Amino acid sequence: AAAVLLLAGCGRQKRETIAEWESYRDPYFKCTFSYPKGWAASTEAGRVTIYSSPDGAQKFFDPTSKSPDASQIIVAYEKSAAPSLDAILNSYTEELKASGFSIDATNTKTVSGVPAFEVTYKGVFENGAKMTATRLLTFRDSTMFYASYSGFNDFYDRYRTVYDTLAATFHLPEPKVVQKDVDPALPSKEFHTFSNKILEISHPANFEAEFPAPKGEITFSMELKGYRADCTIRIDAFPAK
């Protein structure tokens, strides 16, 4: 028995040590979390994707490619019409099974004091590449939030510390508190400024910024909504013709 345990220990994958971490904080991205310093980040509306290497990013777009193995983090949120977290979990696991993945485990967790589910699953692609992933799912105020960690072949276990840290530091935005004697429907005197490569715009601090997924020829969309959602500013960017 001792010999068997010794051999098993020798075959165990060594985990990489992460020397430095960075905190992802952005006034327009509602969640905060930590990730390894030096990993390549890509942002879009309501979603941040981070790769262990720029070259390895292609592996997640085409698992059958000859791109090097890598690990990936995704943190995202989106509005959901689901009636409950259980409904979101069932829909997600059914989607995974339909795509050919097998569910390894489903555990109950909490994120910022809110009930959550942790789903671990695996898949094997045509070229033999194996992917393992874990997703932390939660639901609050009609919004689904999730944090995922995945890796090809031995990269999942090598950087497992990344998921442990991601799960421990993943925080939802603070619930909005309406101050007494202040009409929340009135635009705030305090302004925030949003800026990217397309535009710069200032808006009342109590107008929520949302970034709908672009459709058709649109390359960027932004909506600013007041408290009662009866005053909305919509901006779409698309190529001029």
Side-chain angles (χ1 to χ4, degrees), residues 126-171:
E126 293 178 358
N127 62 342
K130 299 178 181 178
M131 190 189 81
T132 305
T134 300
R135 174 169 290 195
L136 196 57
L137 281 161
T138 190
F139 183 62
R140 188 182 73 185
D141 298 333
S142 301
T143 303
M144 177 185 67
F145 300 86
Y146 67 85
S148 293
Y149 165 73
S150 55
F152 277 94
N153 299 314
D154 67 337
F155 266 68
Y156 178 85
D157 287 330
R158 280 176 61 181
Y159 290 99
R160 172 67 193 215
T161 306
V162 172
Y163 174 72
D164 296 336
T165 301
L166 174 64
T169 59
F170 179 43
H171 295 293

Side-chain angles (χ1 to χ4, degrees), residues 26-241:
D26 184 297
Y28 287 88
F29 190 76
K30 299 181 179 182
C31 306
T32 59
F33 60 94
S34 295
Y35 67 98
K37 186 175 182 179
W39 283 31
S42 172
T43 61
E44 55 186 288
R47 178 185 176 107
V48 178
T49 307
I50 303 174
Y51 302 99
S52 56
S53 70
D55 292 340
Q58 182 59 31
K59 195 76 170 180
F60 292 91
F61 293 99
D62 181 9
T64 62
S65 70
K66 295 183 179 180
S67 302
D69 292 337
S71 294
Q72 177 196 69
I73 296 170
I74 299 177
V75 177
Y77 59 85
E78 59 186 61
K79 291 291 184 180
S80 174
S84 66
L85 178 60
D86 286 332
I88 289 176
L89 174 67
N90 291 337
S91 176
Y92 182 59
T93 53
E94 289 303 316
E95 179 183 329
L96 289 174
K97 292 174 183 177
S99 299
F101 290 98
S102 60
I103 309 298
D104 260 18
T106 301
N107 301 307
T108 56
K109 300 285 183 177
T110 59
V111 175
S112 299
V114 179
F117 282 113
E118 180 186 75
V119 183
T120 299
Y121 58 95
K122 294 180 179 178
V124 180
F125 298 89
E126 293 178 358
N127 62 342
K130 299 178 181 178
M131 190 189 81
T132 305
T134 300
R135 174 169 290 195
L136 196 57
L137 281 161
T138 190
F139 183 62
R140 188 182 73 185
D141 298 333
S142 301
T143 303
M144 177 185 67
F145 300 86
Y146 67 85
S148 293
Y149 165 73
S150 55
F152 277 94
N153 299 314
D154 67 337
F155 266 68
Y156 178 85
D157 287 330
R158 280 176 61 181
Y159 290 99
R160 172 67 193 215
T161 306
V162 172
Y163 174 72
D164 296 336
T165 301
L166 174 64
T169 59
F170 179 43
H171 295 293
L172 306 185
E174 292 293 329
K176 293 183 178 180
V177 179
V178 178
Q179 297 180 354
K180 293 182 178 179
D181 303 322
V182 175
D183 185 351
L186 295 177
S188 170
K189 293 182 179 180
E190 178 187 356
F191 273 63
H192 288 167
T193 299
F194 171 82
S195 177
N196 67 1
K197 62 182 181 181
I198 296 174
L199 64 97
E200 179 175 307
I201 184 171
S202 295
H203 61 85
N206 61 345
F207 271 50
E208 183 175 356
E210 295 183 353
F211 302 88
K215 296 181 180 180
E217 295 184 346
I218 295 174
T219 58
F220 172 80
S221 292
M222 180 179 187
E223 285 187 352
L224 298 167
K225 295 183 180 180
Y227 177 77
R228 297 186 307 196
D230 59 357
C231 178
T232 302
I233 299 169
R234 168 84 180 217
I235 300 170
D236 290 318
F238 48 89
K241 292 187 178 179

